[in-house]
Amino acid sequence: MTDTDGTTDGELDPEITLSWIRDYPGLVAYAPLPPSGRYPRDSRGRPRPRSARLRTANPSEAPRRPEGLLSDSDWSWVIRSEHGWAGVSSRFGTDALRIMLELTEFGCVTIGYTLNGNALAQPPRRVYPHPDLTAAEQERRSRRRDDTSTLRTRAEQIASALADDWPDVSRALRDTDHPDRLLWAVRAATDLAEGRSHDSLRAFVQSHAKDTKARDDVNHLLASMGFDHETLIAVGVARNPYIGLGGPILLHTTDGSILDLSAMPGPHDIRLSPHMLPRLTVTEPGDVLLVVENRQAAEAVCDTRADLPVVWCHGQPPDAVVSMIVQAAQQTSGVVICADADLGGVRITARIHDNLPSDTTIHVVDVGTVPHDEGRPFNTHSRSRLQQLAQRPDPVGVFAQRCLHRGYAIEQEATARAALQAVLNGNLYA
């Protein structure tokens, strides 16, 4: 049986190009075939399509994303699925039609209309992304979900490992939801876990993204997630580290000025530039240099022993801080290092110890040798790293062994003050 339009019953209709619609130069209007493969008919059996679409004049060419037209998030939204015109207008406002027409010209979408006689009824009804773009976007989103799942698993592992020594990092890893932010947090936390410190913010970014400008605000990003300033210094992303100085010290700045720090109680926070480090002079040579991690303990020493040079070293010291400590150590008879009795404290002690001149007399204070409250038990990660450090044949190794023997962390202000006082009262250094 043959219809009046010449098609045989059961055959698919050929697609109809609406060549008389020329409202949008460079685009072609056509009537999409219904799922049945047959257009609706009028009373005479002639095809009478009720909908139309606009598409590129070269539909066989692969779609191309127009440069600079859409942000990545808007692009992903457009191509992930078809959208009703109300949703398109809500997202792009008065620019909706202009944007969709340009995307149509590049083969990225087609725009659906209701046919009003032989004309396109306004406004459009729907936007249909190219199926290849939709498939690629779905694959990308699937990979991103898998990557995010893997990232969250890694973040939880590091958070557990660092909970004792870097609680701020542990909290940040567990509280951060956005995958891109979490990625940078995991990168920084991994460096901490592996004892790696960078020379600068750009060096950190270059190490992880191979481009120094990939995230030049990463220090602010990490701080907004809850990373403490001391932690940022330890990672090496704080641009200018601080050192606390007190006692009989003269500070010679690069412009020739001299600051007598002994005139005021310390420790005084000095912000250091790696490229303009001041020179330090200890005015009472022969005295012991005290390097203290706990702020309150450093203040107590400055108040009670103004004759002793003191460095408050808050957190893992970057190169600029280590350089200042070495300057002071070269002018004294010995160095006393007093850090918290935990993995972080042992690491700090090791870094200072290993950078001092080989002939320096070094005394490491174990705050656990004075009365104290029992702290948090070491987790598996902390025990493992302490066991490695305990193999050292020096005071750092002994310190690590004692921490392991106790099995818990000690980071208490009163305990640190008492331990330092015991050392000073014992006249270990005349």
Side-chain angles (χ1 to χ4, degrees):
M1 176 178 177
T2 302
D3 290 337
T4 55
D5 65 350
T7 61
T8 302
D9 193 20
E11 290 183 1
L12 300 181
D13 286 332
E15 184 181 88
I16 298 174
T17 299
L18 309 178
S19 57
W20 60 88
I21 297 178
R22 301 185 179 91
D23 300 335
Y24 303 102
L27 303 181
V28 173
Y30 72 101
L33 275 169
S36 65
R38 302 272 288 177
Y39 290 112
R41 260 53 181 181
D42 62 13
S43 59
R44 297 184 181 181
R46 294 173 299 186
R48 180 63 68 183
R50 299 190 179 96
S51 62
R53 293 191 192 181
L54 282 177
R55 69 183 174 199
T56 177
N58 301 298
S60 61
E61 294 184 1
R64 295 176 293 118
R65 178 180 175 178
E67 185 176 350
L69 180 65
L70 295 176
S71 65
D72 288 345
S73 60
D74 284 341
W75 170 255
S76 297
W77 183 84
V78 168
I79 66 174
R80 73 185 182 198
S81 64
E82 63 182 64
H83 300 283
W85 191 253
V88 175
S89 295
S90 175
R91 191 171 185 98
F92 300 108
T94 57
D95 289 329
L97 183 59
R98 175 186 64 80
I99 291 172
M100 291 305 118
L101 288 174
E102 186 168 346
L103 289 174
T104 302
E105 183 180 349
F106 279 77
C108 302
V109 303
T110 58
I111 306 175
Y113 293 84
T114 298
L115 268 178
N116 184 9
N118 289 327
L120 302 176
Q122 299 295 338
R125 292 183 58 195
R126 299 189 74 76
V127 171
Y128 304 88
H130 193 287
D132 290 351
L133 296 179
T134 300
E137 174 64 10
Q138 290 175 348
E139 182 180 355
R140 186 192 70 82
R141 290 169 68 87
S142 177
R143 287 198 309 269
R144 186 174 178 84
R145 283 193 297 269
D146 292 342
D147 291 345
T148 299
S149 177
T150 301
L151 181 65
R152 294 195 191 285
T153 299
R154 174 63 176 155
E156 179 56 36
Q157 292 171 343
I158 302 178
S160 297
L162 299 182
D164 283 352
D165 304 296
W166 304 96
D168 58 317
V169 178
S170 183
R171 286 191 298 270
L173 291 170
R174 286 171 168 150
D175 294 344
T176 301
D177 293 324
H178 195 283
D180 292 335
R181 291 166 60 90
L182 183 60
L183 175 60
W184 285 103
V186 167
R187 286 168 170 170
T190 300
D191 287 344
L192 284 172
E194 296 177 357
R196 185 165 48 247
S197 180
H198 299 270
D199 291 334
S200 66
L201 180 149
R202 287 193 169 186
F204 170 80
V205 175
Q206 175 70 27
S207 172
H208 292 289
K210 310 305 179 187
D211 180 359
T212 59
K213 298 181 180 179
R215 189 84 207 210
D216 57 6
D217 65 340
V218 72
N219 54 333
H220 301 299
L221 176 71
L222 294 173
S224 71
M225 286 188 280
F227 280 59
D228 290 342
H229 184 68
E230 290 82 358
T231 306
L232 300 181
I233 291 175
V235 178
V237 300
R239 292 186 182 276
N240 291 314
Y242 283 88
I243 189 172
L245 298 175
I249 292 176
L250 294 179
L251 203 63
H252 307 261
T253 63
T254 54
D255 66 358
S257 301
I258 300 176
L259 301 177
D260 185 356
L261 301 182
S262 66
M264 297 173 289
H268 309 285
D269 286 354
I270 308 296
R271 193 178 185 204
L272 301 176
S273 169
H275 308 294
M276 300 177 63
L277 280 180
R279 184 168 56 84
L280 180 153
T281 300
V282 178
T283 58
E284 297 185 18
D287 287 330
V288 62
L289 169 68
L290 303 181
V291 182
V292 186
E293 178 186 4
N294 184 276
R295 173 81 187 202
Q296 288 71 25
E299 290 175 347
V301 172
C302 287
D303 290 340
T304 59
R305 292 295 303 271
D307 59 313
L308 296 180
V310 176
V311 172
W312 170 48
C313 176
H314 45 130
Q316 185 76 350
D319 291 345
V321 174
V322 171
S323 175
M324 298 293 288
I325 293 173
V326 171
Q327 280 190 50
Q330 290 171 335
Q331 303 173 57
T332 57
S333 61
V335 178
V336 172
I337 305 173
C338 181
D340 292 336
D342 56 15
L343 176 58
V346 176
R347 283 175 170 165
I348 291 169
T349 303
R351 177 158 169 75
I352 296 169
H353 178 283
D354 294 348
N355 281 277
L356 292 173
S358 59
D359 59 348
T360 305
T361 301
I362 303 172
H363 180 78
V364 175
V365 178
D366 177 11
V367 298
T369 57
V370 299
H372 60 269
D373 296 327
E374 186 171 320
R376 300 183 311 276
F378 293 128
N379 60 21
T380 301
H381 170 78
S382 295
R383 286 195 300 271
S384 174
R385 297 306 295 270
L386 283 170
Q387 286 169 353
Q388 295 175 14
L389 291 164
Q391 304 302 312
R392 294 175 53 129
D394 56 25
V396 177
V398 174
F399 184 26
Q401 292 170 18
R402 290 175 175 174
C403 291
L404 278 171
H405 179 73
R406 282 189 295 268
Y408 54 81
I410 306 173
E411 44 184 356
Q412 299 152 19
E413 298 171 7
T415 301
R417 290 198 302 269
L420 265 177
Q421 197 60 51
V423 169
L424 297 176
N425 291 342
N427 294 318
L428 290 177
Y429 295 95

